[in-house]
Amino acid sequence: MVWWKNTVGRLWKRKDLVIILIAVLVAGIGILFLRLGAKPGSQVRVSMNGAVIGVYSLSEETEIPIYCSENDYNILVLADGTAYMRTANCPDKLCVKHRKIRHLGETIVCLPHRIVVEVIDGTPADIDGITY
C-alpha cells in the first residue's frame, strides 16, 4: 500500500508536468513547422507492384480507373489540385478513407492491391554520384 501511494504521488510532481508540457509544445511546433513548410506538388505518380503505371498532372480534373486484375480496382480522382481514392474494392478500404493529398512526398497506399499514389514536383530527378 505504501509503494502505491509513493508511486502515484511521484507521477504528478510539478517538474514532471513541466517536462511533459514542454515535450508536447515542442512536438506541436514541429508538426506546425512541417505543415507550413510543405510545398505543393504538380503531379502524381501511380505505381503498382513497384512499377510506374502513370504520371498525371494535379491541375487536371479527372477520374483514373486503376485495374489490378479482372476483379480488383481503385478509382483515383484528381480535382482542385488534390488527389484521392474515391472507391476501391479492397477489404479494408484504408486508401478510400485517406485524406486528400497535394504536398510533395504525400502518398496514398492500397496494400491489398499494391498501389502507391505519390505527389511529385514534375522535374527530373537530380543525378547523383551513384546514379549513372
Side-chain angles (χ1 to χ4, degrees), residues 10-115:
R10 170 74 178 104
L11 287 177
W12 298 109
K13 286 194 174 182
R14 183 171 291 197
K15 290 179 184 178
D16 294 335
L17 291 176
V18 169
I19 290 172
I20 291 170
L21 182 64
I22 289 172
V24 168
L25 186 64
V26 168
I29 290 172
I31 291 171
L32 183 64
F33 178 73
L34 289 174
R35 278 285 177 211
L36 293 177
K39 297 178 183 176
S42 62
Q43 296 179 333
V44 290
R45 178 177 47 220
V46 181
S47 304
M48 186 169 28
N49 292 327
V52 176
I53 60 171
V55 177
Y56 307 95
S57 174
L58 280 173
S59 61
E60 296 178 30
E61 303 276 331
T62 187
E63 291 187 4
I64 303 161
I66 305 167
Y67 293 99
C68 307
S69 67
E70 290 181 22
N71 299 325
D72 295 332
Y73 67 90
N74 291 47
I75 296 179
L76 175 68
V77 176
L78 304 176
D80 301 324
T82 64
Y84 64 96
M85 288 288 186
R86 175 169 297 188
T87 59
N89 68 343
C90 53
D92 57 10
K93 298 199 183 343
L94 289 177
C95 55
V96 175
K97 297 173 187 173
H98 194 283
R99 64 181 172 79
K100 296 178 180 180
I101 58 173
R102 72 174 61 201
H103 296 105
L104 289 176
E106 291 181 326
T107 59
I108 298 174
V109 178
C110 181
L111 282 178
H113 294 165
R114 296 183 182 108
I115 295 173

Side-chain angles (χ1 to χ4, degrees), residues 123-132:
T123 59
D126 294 332
I127 297 177
D128 58 12
I130 297 173
T131 308
Y132 294 101

